[in-house]
């Protein structure tokens, strides 16, 4: 066995292994028709309806003498070519597709994507509106057409128009058409249908929590595609479709990488809003984290601070006390807790906390006293006044 032959066989089996995962030749919905065309006549033949998900077709045209028979059908030939790209590579695949025999008769032909255009051809012989034309008479021909490169596959069928080039005798033409079906597209999930699902996903409450919801919505789409054919999904009741979205969304959101990214985005958004003094908007972002049970101690500290700056002192105290249960050693939270007691007219409790940590740092470079002074200035800028601010500063001297 030569190296070239061995390489070809290896490539063939490798291609088969991958191609079978992506699609298949649909032999059950292929077209095989024997047509007799009168001398100098034109005739139009419609193929079988192309199955949903057809992305390519291979056709073969063979003209036979009266008593000739095809040596092998196109379907049987294509069993040895598991990937349609093999037909257009100029290798053995392309040779196999051509009929091994043909007669002396010849014809021209054209392919149309609609019944109307095909009938116009039959009446006038004009091929200007065809998606493919063979105007040089042939006794046999075979080609592969793909949806990316040919307008022929715009509809759900093809119309072949033949014109006999015999001046005296009738012709016998064998037309064979075999579709290649993409497994994923055969479930009805066209580009427009997938975009529609993603657009719906982006309006969901979960997606709106995210700065960039693309990955999340692609995950939702994948889960819906796996569970339903598009036609099945469309037939669901409105409440059933809503539940499918919710279940898929919950599953995708529950994935660690997705949920972690969402909460990180919310914290980033809240931080930027706080810097712009948009405390109400920041509360909304931080509230999502808290309500989802994903808050850390600094989240409680931040939302407590925002409630203080918007003069919602009771809520501030509640969230800061909840945060203290997570980590009582976090001094940024402890300082906000002291502020909350102070603004809730509980100077006694506030004083205990202010004194307890006055000699420590709230961060590696910011002291408790410095941070207290900064916070009081922020309160005053927000329109919050208290005689106790000076009492606390004197207490810390």
């Amino acid at each position: 066995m030569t190296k070239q032959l061995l390489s070809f066989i290896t490539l063939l089996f490798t291609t088969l292994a991958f191609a079978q995962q992506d699609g298949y030749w649909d032999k059950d919905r292929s077209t095989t028709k024997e047509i007799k065309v009168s001398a100098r006549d034109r005739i139009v033949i419609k193929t079988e309806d192309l199955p949903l998900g057809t992305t390519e077709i291979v056709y073969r045209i063979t003209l036979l003498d009266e008593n000739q028979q095809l040596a092998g059908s196109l379907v049987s030939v294509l069993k040895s070519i598991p990937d349609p790209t093999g037909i257009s590579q100029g290798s053995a695949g392309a040779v196999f597709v051509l009929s091994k025999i043909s007669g002396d008769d010849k014809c021209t032909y054209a392919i149309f994507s609609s019944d109307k255009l095909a009938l116009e051809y039959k009446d006038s012989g004009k091929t200007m509106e065809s998606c493919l034309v063979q105007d040089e008479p042939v006794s046999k021909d075979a080609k592969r057409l793909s949806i990316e490169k040919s307008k022929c596959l715009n509809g759900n069928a093809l119309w072949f128009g033949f014109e006999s080039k015999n001046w005296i005798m009738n012709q016998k033409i064998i037309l064979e058409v075999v579709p290649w079906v993409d497994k994923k597209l055969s479930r009805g999930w066209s580009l427009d249908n997938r975009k529609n699902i993603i657009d719906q996903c982006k309006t969901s409450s979960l997606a709106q929590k995210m700065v960039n919801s693309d990955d999340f919505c692609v995950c939702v789409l994948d889960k819906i595609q796996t569970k339903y054919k598009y036609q099945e999904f469309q037939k669901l009741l409105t409440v059933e479709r809503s539940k499918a979205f919710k279940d898929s969304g919950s599953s995708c959101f529950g994935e660690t990488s997705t949920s972690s990214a969402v909460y990180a985005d919310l914290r980033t958004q809240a931080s930027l809003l706080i810097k712009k003094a948009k405390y109400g908007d920041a509360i909304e972002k931080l509230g999502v984290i808290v309500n989802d049970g994903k808050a850390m101690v600094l989240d409680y500290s931040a939302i407590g601070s925002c409630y203080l700056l918007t003069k919602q002192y009771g809520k501030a105290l509640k969230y800061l006390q909840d945060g203290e249960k997570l980590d009582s050693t976090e001094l940024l939270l402890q300082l906000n807790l002291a502020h909350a007691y102070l603004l809730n007219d509980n100077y006694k409790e506030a004083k205990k906390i202010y004194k307890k940590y006055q000699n420590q740092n709230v961060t590696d470079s910011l002291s408790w006293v410095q941070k207290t002074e900064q916070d009081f200035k922020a309160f005053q800028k927000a329109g919050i006044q208290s005689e106790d601010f000076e009492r606390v500063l004197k207490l810390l001297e």
Side-chain angles (χ1 to χ4, degrees):
M1 183 179 291
T2 65
K3 289 184 178 180
Q4 291 85 351
L5 181 57
L6 181 60
S7 298
F8 174 75
I9 292 173
T10 302
L11 176 62
L12 187 62
F13 279 101
T14 302
T15 305
L16 173 61
F18 285 99
Q20 286 179 335
Q21 296 174 12
D22 300 328
Y24 57 93
W25 296 112
D26 194 335
K27 62 180 181 179
D28 295 329
R29 286 176 282 188
S30 61
T31 297
T32 301
K33 294 190 178 182
E34 182 177 312
I35 315 124
K36 288 189 178 180
V37 186
S38 301
R40 293 176 292 175
D41 197 7
R42 282 190 298 273
I43 190 170
V44 171
I45 301 297
K46 177 182 177 292
T47 66
E48 301 294 337
D49 288 344
L50 299 175
L52 189 63
T54 297
T55 57
E56 330 217 2
I57 62 114
V58 172
Y59 70 86
R60 182 170 71 176
I61 297 167
T62 311
L63 277 71
L64 299 178
D65 290 338
E66 190 64 30
N67 296 319
Q68 280 185 304
Q69 298 293 326
L70 283 175
S73 70
L74 181 58
V75 168
S76 63
V77 170
L78 289 175
K79 288 181 179 178
S80 64
I81 310 172
D83 186 335
T85 58
I87 296 162
S88 60
Q89 291 173 348
S91 63
V95 177
F96 291 159
V97 170
L98 288 173
S99 176
K100 295 180 181 179
I101 61 172
S102 65
D104 296 326
D105 296 336
K106 292 187 177 183
C107 72
T108 59
Y109 69 90
I111 305 177
F112 302 89
S113 57
S114 75
D115 185 26
K116 180 181 177 181
L117 296 176
L119 290 176
E120 289 177 0
Y121 161 81
K122 184 178 180 181
D123 293 337
S124 66
K126 293 181 180 179
T127 59
M128 292 182 61
E129 299 297 327
S130 65
C131 56
L132 185 147
V133 62
Q134 173 62 46
D135 50 16
E136 182 70 27
V138 293
S139 62
K140 60 183 176 182
D141 202 5
K143 285 185 174 67
R144 165 199 172 223
L145 303 178
S146 68
I147 198 168
E148 294 92 353
K149 297 181 180 180
S150 174
K151 297 179 181 179
C152 291
L153 298 181
N154 289 342
N156 62 353
L158 297 176
W159 286 260
F160 281 75
F162 297 97
E163 182 171 359
S164 171
K165 290 306 176 181
N166 275 7
W167 287 90
I168 301 175
M169 304 295 292
N170 294 342
Q171 291 181 324
K172 183 167 70 170
I173 300 175
I174 306 296
L175 170 64
E176 301 168 278
V177 181
V178 184
W180 172 268
V181 179
D182 182 290
K183 287 183 178 179
K184 195 169 186 179
L185 293 180
S186 69
R187 295 175 62 80
W189 291 103
S190 65
L191 180 62
D192 287 340
N193 292 339
R194 299 199 304 273
K195 283 182 177 178
N196 183 44
I197 296 298
I198 287 178
D199 289 343
Q200 290 182 56
C201 169
K202 285 182 176 291
T203 65
S204 68
S205 57
L206 279 176
Q208 290 178 350
K209 294 178 182 180
M210 310 171 194
V211 174
N212 186 340
S213 61
D214 288 351
D215 289 347
F216 170 74
C217 286
V218 168
C219 176
V220 170
L221 172 63
D222 286 343
K223 291 185 183 300
I224 291 176
Q225 281 187 106
T226 300
K227 188 172 182 179
Y228 302 99
K229 290 185 177 181
Y230 180 72
Q231 292 80 357
E232 295 172 345
F233 186 72
Q234 288 301 99
K235 290 178 181 178
L236 295 177
L237 297 173
T238 301
V239 292
E240 291 174 324
R241 285 201 298 271
S242 296
K243 185 177 186 301
F245 266 109
K246 183 178 179 181
D247 292 346
S248 299
S250 298
S251 178
C252 289
F253 193 72
E255 295 174 7
T256 303
S257 59
T258 303
S259 58
S260 297
V262 169
Y263 297 123
D265 286 342
L266 287 170
R267 291 184 181 100
T268 300
Q269 293 176 62
S271 177
L272 293 173
L273 290 167
I274 290 170
K275 288 178 181 179
K276 295 177 181 179
K278 296 182 178 180
Y279 304 117
D281 293 336
I283 287 171
E284 183 179 342
K285 302 297 181 183
L286 292 166
V288 172
I289 303 174
V290 173
N291 293 334
D292 285 354
K294 302 296 182 180
M296 297 184 289
V297 64
L298 288 178
D299 297 322
Y300 282 104
S301 178
I303 197 171
S305 175
C306 289
Y307 274 122
L308 290 174
L309 289 163
T310 54
K311 301 181 181 180
Q312 300 180 76
Y313 307 134
K315 288 184 178 180
L317 185 60
K318 172 188 178 300
Y319 281 101
L320 291 166
Q321 287 174 335
D322 288 343
E324 186 181 29
K325 295 173 185 176
L326 291 181
D327 185 357
S328 61
T329 66
E330 176 50 62
L331 295 195
L332 284 172
L333 182 135
Q334 286 293 339
L335 184 54
N336 281 323
L337 184 59
H339 298 334
Y341 281 124
L342 187 70
L343 293 173
N344 276 287
D345 297 324
N346 191 343
Y347 179 80
K348 181 179 179 181
E349 288 299 321
K351 179 181 177 181
K352 291 179 183 178
I353 300 174
Y354 284 127
K355 287 293 291 180
K356 183 176 181 179
Y357 301 108
Q358 67 176 351
N359 295 321
Q360 296 190 41
N361 282 2
V362 293
T363 69
D364 60 349
S365 58
L366 184 65
S367 72
W368 176 273
V369 176
Q370 289 172 325
K371 178 60 174 162
T372 302
E373 292 172 346
Q374 290 178 8
D375 289 351
F376 286 169
K377 288 179 181 178
F379 290 148
Q380 290 169 343
K381 188 176 181 179
I384 300 170
Q385 302 294 335
S386 173
E387 294 179 356
D388 289 332
F389 291 165
E390 287 298 324
R391 290 177 65 186
V392 170
L393 292 177
K394 286 181 180 179
L395 178 69
L396 299 177
E397 289 179 353

